[in-house]
Amino acid sequence: QVQLVESGGGLVQAGGSLRLSCAASRSIFVIKAMGWYRQAPGKQRELVAVFTRRGNTNYADSVKGRFTISRDNAENTVRLQMNSLKLEDTAVYYCNAVVVTTTPPYEDNYWGQGTQVTVSS
């Protein structure tokens, strides 16, 4: 079982910055990728950024140039640095981990509890 614990959410003025952190518990599973999703009220959850085990990154077009995802391998932690925040960034942000399993389909998804990010004008 993989446990994900998020921190760093809060209230920030437009144009400001926040840094989110997600720590994954130690397990026998290999973490294939870690990333961040977000969900605004009345909206579907959407991908924000992902960091793969091989070091590749991918960002939603809406956050490119403003958000940066990084990984601390020693602490099994993924972070999301959010700069130049906009009102549209307001959402609950969820950490996600894709882990390798021993049964089909040989990978599984785990989610954190979510952390609220609110951007004000």
Side-chain angles (χ1 to χ4, degrees):
Q1 180 177 304
V2 176
Q3 297 176 355
L4 305 176
V5 180
E6 301 127 319
S7 62
L11 175 65
V12 66
Q13 199 164 10
S17 299
L18 284 174
R19 179 163 52 247
L20 306 183
S21 180
C22 174
S25 63
R26 299 174 68 184
S27 77
I28 63 172
F29 299 111
V30 175
I31 298 178
K32 184 178 179 181
M34 294 186 71
W36 291 92
Y37 288 69
R38 67 186 181 187
Q39 186 170 22
K43 305 293 184 181
Q44 288 190 295
R45 191 172 298 185
E46 63 177 354
L47 174 69
V48 177
V50 63
F51 200 118
T52 73
R53 191 165 179 263
R54 300 298 295 176
N56 298 314
T57 59
N58 189 37
Y59 296 90
D61 288 340
S62 60
V63 306
K64 285 181 179 177
R66 301 188 298 118
F67 291 9
T68 303
I69 190 169
S70 61
R71 184 176 64 188
D72 184 337
N73 291 324
E75 297 296 327
N76 225 9
T77 298
V78 65
R79 296 181 173 88
L80 185 68
Q81 178 67 45
M82 304 185 294
N83 298 327
S84 302
L85 283 161
K86 304 175 179 179
L87 295 178
E88 307 88 83
D89 296 318
T90 295
V92 177
Y93 284 69
Y94 296 90
C95 180
N96 167 258
V98 181
V99 304
V100 176
T101 66
T102 57
T103 57
Y106 302 106
E107 67 178 38
D108 200 5
N109 286 289
Y110 292 85
W111 298 91
Q113 82 286 353
T115 185
Q116 177 71 48
V117 172
T118 303
V119 183
S120 63
S121 60

mmCIF file with all atom_site columns, all heavy atoms in Angstrom, residues 7-27:
data_model
loop_
_atom_site.group_PDB
_atom_site.id
_atom_site.type_symbol
_atom_site.label_atom_id
_atom_site.label_alt_id
_atom_site.label_comp_id
_atom_site.label_asym_id
_atom_site.label_entity_id
_atom_site.label_seq_id
_atom_site.pdbx_PDB_ins_code
_atom_site.Cartn_x
_atom_site.Cartn_y
_atom_site.Cartn_z
_atom_site.occupancy
_atom_site.B_iso_or_equiv
_atom_site.pdbx_formal_charge
_atom_site.auth_seq_id
_atom_site.auth_comp_id
_atom_site.auth_asym_id
_atom_site.auth_atom_id
_atom_site.pdbx_PDB_model_num
ATOM 1   N N   . SER A 1 7  ? 0.970  18.678 1.374  1.00 0.00 ? 7  SER A N   1
ATOM 2   C CA  . SER A 1 7  ? 1.025  19.860 2.207  1.00 0.00 ? 7  SER A CA  1
ATOM 3   C C   . SER A 1 7  ? 1.373  21.063 1.342  1.00 0.00 ? 7  SER A C   1
ATOM 4   O O   . SER A 1 7  ? 1.840  20.909 0.219  1.00 0.00 ? 7  SER A O   1
ATOM 5   C CB  . SER A 1 7  ? 2.046  19.705 3.336  1.00 0.00 ? 7  SER A CB  1
ATOM 6   O OG  . SER A 1 7  ? 3.355  19.541 2.815  1.00 0.00 ? 7  SER A OG  1
ATOM 7   N N   . GLY A 1 8  ? 1.146  22.258 1.873  1.00 0.00 ? 8  GLY A N   1
ATOM 8   C CA  . GLY A 1 8  ? 1.571  23.474 1.206  1.00 0.00 ? 8  GLY A CA  1
ATOM 9   C C   . GLY A 1 8  ? 0.471  24.322 0.610  1.00 0.00 ? 8  GLY A C   1
ATOM 10  O O   . GLY A 1 8  ? 0.736  25.428 0.126  1.00 0.00 ? 8  GLY A O   1
ATOM 11  N N   . GLY A 1 9  ? -0.762 23.837 0.628  1.00 0.00 ? 9  GLY A N   1
ATOM 12  C CA  . GLY A 1 9  ? -1.853 24.627 0.093  1.00 0.00 ? 9  GLY A CA  1
ATOM 13  C C   . GLY A 1 9  ? -2.168 25.815 0.980  1.00 0.00 ? 9  GLY A C   1
ATOM 14  O O   . GLY A 1 9  ? -1.703 25.919 2.110  1.00 0.00 ? 9  GLY A O   1
ATOM 15  N N   . GLY A 1 10 ? -2.964 26.730 0.449  1.00 0.00 ? 10 GLY A N   1
ATOM 16  C CA  . GLY A 1 10 ? -3.347 27.896 1.213  1.00 0.00 ? 10 GLY A CA  1
ATOM 17  C C   . GLY A 1 10 ? -3.968 28.964 0.355  1.00 0.00 ? 10 GLY A C   1
ATOM 18  O O   . GLY A 1 10 ? -4.356 28.725 -0.788 1.00 0.00 ? 10 GLY A O   1
ATOM 19  N N   . LEU A 1 11 ? -4.055 30.154 0.920  1.00 0.00 ? 11 LEU A N   1
ATOM 20  C CA  . LEU A 1 11 ? -4.626 31.315 0.257  1.00 0.00 ? 11 LEU A CA  1
ATOM 21  C C   . LEU A 1 11 ? -3.510 32.239 -0.195 1.00 0.00 ? 11 LEU A C   1
ATOM 22  O O   . LEU A 1 11 ? -2.609 32.570 0.588  1.00 0.00 ? 11 LEU A O   1
ATOM 23  C CB  . LEU A 1 11 ? -5.573 32.053 1.202  1.00 0.00 ? 11 LEU A CB  1
ATOM 24  C CG  . LEU A 1 11 ? -6.178 33.365 0.710  1.00 0.00 ? 11 LEU A CG  1
ATOM 25  C CD1 . LEU A 1 11 ? -7.095 33.117 -0.475 1.00 0.00 ? 11 LEU A CD1 1
ATOM 26  C CD2 . LEU A 1 11 ? -6.931 34.043 1.848  1.00 0.00 ? 11 LEU A CD2 1
ATOM 27  N N   . VAL A 1 12 ? -3.559 32.652 -1.444 1.00 0.00 ? 12 VAL A N   1
ATOM 28  C CA  . VAL A 1 12 ? -2.530 33.526 -1.988 1.00 0.00 ? 12 VAL A CA  1
ATOM 29  C C   . VAL A 1 12 ? -3.165 34.514 -2.956 1.00 0.00 ? 12 VAL A C   1
ATOM 30  O O   . VAL A 1 12 ? -4.171 34.213 -3.598 1.00 0.00 ? 12 VAL A O   1
ATOM 31  C CB  . VAL A 1 12 ? -1.427 32.695 -2.690 1.00 0.00 ? 12 VAL A CB  1
ATOM 32  C CG1 . VAL A 1 12 ? -1.984 31.984 -3.920 1.00 0.00 ? 12 VAL A CG1 1
ATOM 33  C CG2 . VAL A 1 12 ? -0.238 33.569 -3.056 1.00 0.00 ? 12 VAL A CG2 1
ATOM 34  N N   . GLN A 1 13 ? -2.580 35.690 -3.044 1.00 0.00 ? 13 GLN A N   1
ATOM 35  C CA  . GLN A 1 13 ? -3.071 36.704 -3.963 1.00 0.00 ? 13 GLN A CA  1
ATOM 36  C C   . GLN A 1 13 ? -2.606 36.404 -5.385 1.00 0.00 ? 13 GLN A C   1
ATOM 37  O O   . GLN A 1 13 ? -1.552 35.800 -5.589 1.00 0.00 ? 13 GLN A O   1
ATOM 38  C CB  . GLN A 1 13 ? -2.584 38.085 -3.532 1.00 0.00 ? 13 GLN A CB  1
ATOM 39  C CG  . GLN A 1 13 ? -3.379 39.238 -4.113 1.00 0.00 ? 13 GLN A CG  1
ATOM 40  C CD  . GLN A 1 13 ? -3.107 40.543 -3.368 1.00 0.00 ? 13 GLN A CD  1
ATOM 41  O OE1 . GLN A 1 13 ? -2.198 40.639 -2.553 1.00 0.00 ? 13 GLN A OE1 1
ATOM 42  N NE2 . GLN A 1 13 ? -3.907 41.555 -3.661 1.00 0.00 ? 13 GLN A NE2 1
ATOM 43  N N   . ALA A 1 14 ? -3.405 36.803 -6.350 1.00 0.00 ? 14 ALA A N   1
ATOM 44  C CA  . ALA A 1 14 ? -3.029 36.605 -7.750 1.00 0.00 ? 14 ALA A CA  1
ATOM 45  C C   . ALA A 1 14 ? -1.644 37.179 -8.012 1.00 0.00 ? 14 ALA A C   1
ATOM 46  O O   . ALA A 1 14 ? -1.315 38.275 -7.564 1.00 0.00 ? 14 ALA A O   1
ATOM 47  C CB  . ALA A 1 14 ? -4.053 37.250 -8.671 1.00 0.00 ? 14 ALA A CB  1
ATOM 48  N N   . GLY A 1 15 ? -0.842 36.413 -8.736 1.00 0.00 ? 15 GLY A N   1
ATOM 49  C CA  . GLY A 1 15 ? 0.533  36.799 -8.998 1.00 0.00 ? 15 GLY A CA  1
ATOM 50  C C   . GLY A 1 15 ? 1.521  36.240 -8.001 1.00 0.00 ? 15 GLY A C   1
ATOM 51  O O   . GLY A 1 15 ? 2.736  36.290 -8.237 1.00 0.00 ? 15 GLY A O   1
ATOM 52  N N   . GLY A 1 16 ? 1.028  35.699 -6.912 1.00 0.00 ? 16 GLY A N   1
ATOM 53  C CA  . GLY A 1 16 ? 1.878  35.135 -5.885 1.00 0.00 ? 16 GLY A CA  1
ATOM 54  C C   . GLY A 1 16 ? 2.275  33.706 -6.173 1.00 0.00 ? 16 GLY A C   1
ATOM 55  O O   . GLY A 1 16 ? 2.002  33.164 -7.245 1.00 0.00 ? 16 GLY A O   1
ATOM 56  N N   . SER A 1 17 ? 2.906  33.087 -5.175 1.00 0.00 ? 17 SER A N   1
ATOM 57  C CA  . SER A 1 17 ? 3.454  31.742 -5.342 1.00 0.00 ? 17 SER A CA  1
ATOM 58  C C   . SER A 1 17 ? 3.099  30.847 -4.171 1.00 0.00 ? 17 SER A C   1
ATOM 59  O O   . SER A 1 17 ? 2.906  31.309 -3.041 1.00 0.00 ? 17 SER A O   1
ATOM 60  C CB  . SER A 1 17 ? 4.983  31.794 -5.469 1.00 0.00 ? 17 SER A CB  1
ATOM 61  O OG  . SER A 1 17 ? 5.389  32.549 -6.594 1.00 0.00 ? 17 SER A OG  1
ATOM 62  N N   . LEU A 1 18 ? 3.022  29.563 -4.452 1.00 0.00 ? 18 LEU A N   1
ATOM 63  C CA  . LEU A 1 18 ? 2.880  28.526 -3.446 1.00 0.00 ? 18 LEU A CA  1
ATOM 64  C C   . LEU A 1 18 ? 3.706  27.326 -3.871 1.00 0.00 ? 18 LEU A C   1
ATOM 65  O O   . LEU A 1 18 ? 3.948  27.122 -5.066 1.00 0.00 ? 18 LEU A O   1
ATOM 66  C CB  . LEU A 1 18 ? 1.423  28.093 -3.276 1.00 0.00 ? 18 LEU A CB  1
ATOM 67  C CG  . LEU A 1 18 ? 0.469  28.996 -2.503 1.00 0.00 ? 18 LEU A CG  1
ATOM 68  C CD1 . LEU A 1 18 ? -0.948 28.435 -2.586 1.00 0.00 ? 18 LEU A CD1 1
ATOM 69  C CD2 . LEU A 1 18 ? 0.895  29.125 -1.050 1.00 0.00 ? 18 LEU A CD2 1
ATOM 70  N N   . ARG A 1 19 ? 4.121  26.536 -2.898 1.00 0.00 ? 19 ARG A N   1
ATOM 71  C CA  . ARG A 1 19 ? 4.830  25.306 -3.190 1.00 0.00 ? 19 ARG A CA  1
ATOM 72  C C   . ARG A 1 19 ? 4.134  24.149 -2.493 1.00 0.00 ? 19 ARG A C   1
ATOM 73  O O   . ARG A 1 19 ? 4.004  24.144 -1.267 1.00 0.00 ? 19 ARG A O   1
ATOM 74  C CB  . ARG A 1 19 ? 6.292  25.386 -2.749 1.00 0.00 ? 19 ARG A CB  1
ATOM 75  C CG  . ARG A 1 19 ? 7.067  24.100 -3.014 1.00 0.00 ? 19 ARG A CG  1
ATOM 76  C CD  . ARG A 1 19 ? 8.581  24.284 -2.969 1.00 0.00 ? 19 ARG A CD  1
ATOM 77  N NE  . ARG A 1 19 ? 9.035  24.938 -1.761 1.00 0.00 ? 19 ARG A NE  1
ATOM 78  C CZ  . ARG A 1 19 ? 9.574  26.139 -1.709 1.00 0.00 ? 19 ARG A CZ  1
ATOM 79  N NH1 . ARG A 1 19 ? 9.741  26.852 -2.835 1.00 0.00 ? 19 ARG A NH1 1
ATOM 80  N NH2 . ARG A 1 19 ? 9.967  26.654 -0.557 1.00 0.00 ? 19 ARG A NH2 1
ATOM 81  N N   . LEU A 1 20 ? 3.692  23.182 -3.272 1.00 0.00 ? 20 LEU A N   1
ATOM 82  C CA  . LEU A 1 20 ? 3.044  21.996 -2.746 1.00 0.00 ? 20 LEU A CA  1
ATOM 83  C C   . LEU A 1 20 ? 4.055  20.863 -2.624 1.00 0.00 ? 20 LEU A C   1
ATOM 84  O O   . LEU A 1 20 ? 4.977  20.751 -3.423 1.00 0.00 ? 20 LEU A O   1
ATOM 85  C CB  . LEU A 1 20 ? 1.896  21.550 -3.652 1.00 0.00 ? 20 LEU A CB  1
ATOM 86  C CG  . LEU A 1 20 ? 0.828  22.586 -3.997 1.00 0.00 ? 20 LEU A CG  1
ATOM 87  C CD1 . LEU A 1 20 ? -0.268 21.944 -4.843 1.00 0.00 ? 20 LEU A CD1 1
ATOM 88  C CD2 . LEU A 1 20 ? 0.243  23.205 -2.738 1.00 0.00 ? 20 LEU A CD2 1
ATOM 89  N N   . SER A 1 21 ? 3.850  20.022 -1.639 1.00 0.00 ? 21 SER A N   1
ATOM 90  C CA  . SER A 1 21 ? 4.727  18.891 -1.422 1.00 0.00 ? 21 SER A CA  1
ATOM 91  C C   . SER A 1 21 ? 3.898  17.635 -1.216 1.00 0.00 ? 21 SER A C   1
ATOM 92  O O   . SER A 1 21 ? 2.847  17.678 -0.588 1.00 0.00 ? 21 SER A O   1
ATOM 93  C CB  . SER A 1 21 ? 5.624  19.126 -0.208 1.00 0.00 ? 21 SER A CB  1
ATOM 94  O OG  . SER A 1 21 ? 6.480  18.027 0.022  1.00 0.00 ? 21 SER A OG  1
ATOM 95  N N   . CYS A 1 22 ? 4.366  16.523 -1.737 1.00 0.00 ? 22 CYS A N   1
ATOM 96  C CA  . CYS A 1 22 ? 3.702  15.242 -1.583 1.00 0.00 ? 22 CYS A CA  1
ATOM 97  C C   . CYS A 1 22 ? 4.743  14.194 -1.242 1.00 0.00 ? 22 CYS A C   1
ATOM 98  O O   . CYS A 1 22 ? 5.672  13.960 -2.019 1.00 0.00 ? 22 CYS A O   1
ATOM 99  C CB  . CYS A 1 22 ? 2.962  14.856 -2.868 1.00 0.00 ? 22 CYS A CB  1
ATOM 100 S SG  . CYS A 1 22 ? 2.235  13.203 -2.828 1.00 0.00 ? 22 CYS A SG  1
ATOM 101 N N   . ALA A 1 23 ? 4.582  13.565 -0.090 1.00 0.00 ? 23 ALA A N   1
ATOM 102 C CA  . ALA A 1 23 ? 5.508  12.543 0.368  1.00 0.00 ? 23 ALA A CA  1
ATOM 103 C C   . ALA A 1 23 ? 4.856  11.169 0.261  1.00 0.00 ? 23 ALA A C   1
ATOM 104 O O   . ALA A 1 23 ? 3.746  10.962 0.764  1.00 0.00 ? 23 ALA A O   1
ATOM 105 C CB  . ALA A 1 23 ? 5.944  12.805 1.803  1.00 0.00 ? 23 ALA A CB  1
ATOM 106 N N   . ALA A 1 24 ? 5.533  10.249 -0.383 1.00 0.00 ? 24 ALA A N   1
ATOM 107 C CA  . ALA A 1 24 ? 5.050  8.887  -0.526 1.00 0.00 ? 24 ALA A CA  1
ATOM 108 C C   . ALA A 1 24 ? 5.715  7.986  0.502  1.00 0.00 ? 24 ALA A C   1
ATOM 109 O O   . ALA A 1 24 ? 6.914  8.072  0.734  1.00 0.00 ? 24 ALA A O   1
ATOM 110 C CB  . ALA A 1 24 ? 5.325  8.363  -1.929 1.00 0.00 ? 24 ALA A CB  1
ATOM 111 N N   . SER A 1 25 ? 4.923  7.122  1.120  1.00 0.00 ? 25 SER A N   1
ATOM 112 C CA  . SER A 1 25 ? 5.459  6.189  2.097  1.00 0.00 ? 25 SER A CA  1
ATOM 113 C C   . SER A 1 25 ? 6.345  5.156  1.418  1.00 0.00 ? 25 SER A C   1
ATOM 114 O O   . SER A 1 25 ? 6.199  4.877  0.229  1.00 0.00 ? 25 SER A O   1
ATOM 115 C CB  . SER A 1 25 ? 4.328  5.492  2.846  1.00 0.00 ? 25 SER A CB  1
ATOM 116 O OG  . SER A 1 25 ? 3.552  4.709  1.953  1.00 0.00 ? 25 SER A OG  1
ATOM 117 N N   . ARG A 1 26 ? 7.246  4.590  2.180  1.00 0.00 ? 26 ARG A N   1
ATOM 118 C CA  . ARG A 1 26 ? 8.094  3.525  1.664  1.00 0.00 ? 26 ARG A CA  1
ATOM 119 C C   . ARG A 1 26 ? 7.252  2.278  1.444  1.00 0.00 ? 26 ARG A C   1
ATOM 120 O O   . ARG A 1 26 ? 6.369  1.958  2.236  1.00 0.00 ? 26 ARG A O   1
ATOM 121 C CB  . ARG A 1 26 ? 9.227  3.232  2.639  1.00 0.00 ? 26 ARG A CB  1
ATOM 122 C CG  . ARG A 1 26 ? 10.135 4.432  2.888  1.00 0.00 ? 26 ARG A CG  1
ATOM 123 C CD  . ARG A 1 26 ? 11.142 4.138  3.968  1.00 0.00 ? 26 ARG A CD  1
ATOM 124 N NE  . ARG A 1 26 ? 12.116 3.144  3.554  1.00 0.00 ? 26 ARG A NE  1
ATOM 125 C CZ  . ARG A 1 26 ? 13.066 2.650  4.337  1.00 0.00 ? 26 ARG A CZ  1
ATOM 126 N NH1 . ARG A 1 26 ? 13.164 3.064  5.587  1.00 0.00 ? 26 ARG A NH1 1
ATOM 127 N NH2 . ARG A 1 26 ? 13.914 1.748  3.867  1.00 0.00 ? 26 ARG A NH2 1
ATOM 128 N N   . SER A 1 27 ? 7.515  1.581  0.349  1.00 0.00 ? 27 SER A N   1
ATOM 129 C CA  . SER A 1 27 ? 6.790  0.358  0.050  1.00 0.00 ? 27 SER A CA  1
ATOM 130 C C   . SER A 1 27 ? 7.632  -0.531 -0.840 1.00 0.00 ? 27 SER A C   1
ATOM 131 O O   . SER A 1 27 ? 8.701  -0.139 -1.311 1.00 0.00 ? 27 SER A O   1
ATOM 132 C CB  . SER A 1 27 ? 5.444  0.659  -0.618 1.00 0.00 ? 27 SER A CB  1
ATOM 133 O OG  . SER A 1 27 ? 5.610  0.994  -1.974 1.00 0.00 ? 27 SER A OG  1
#
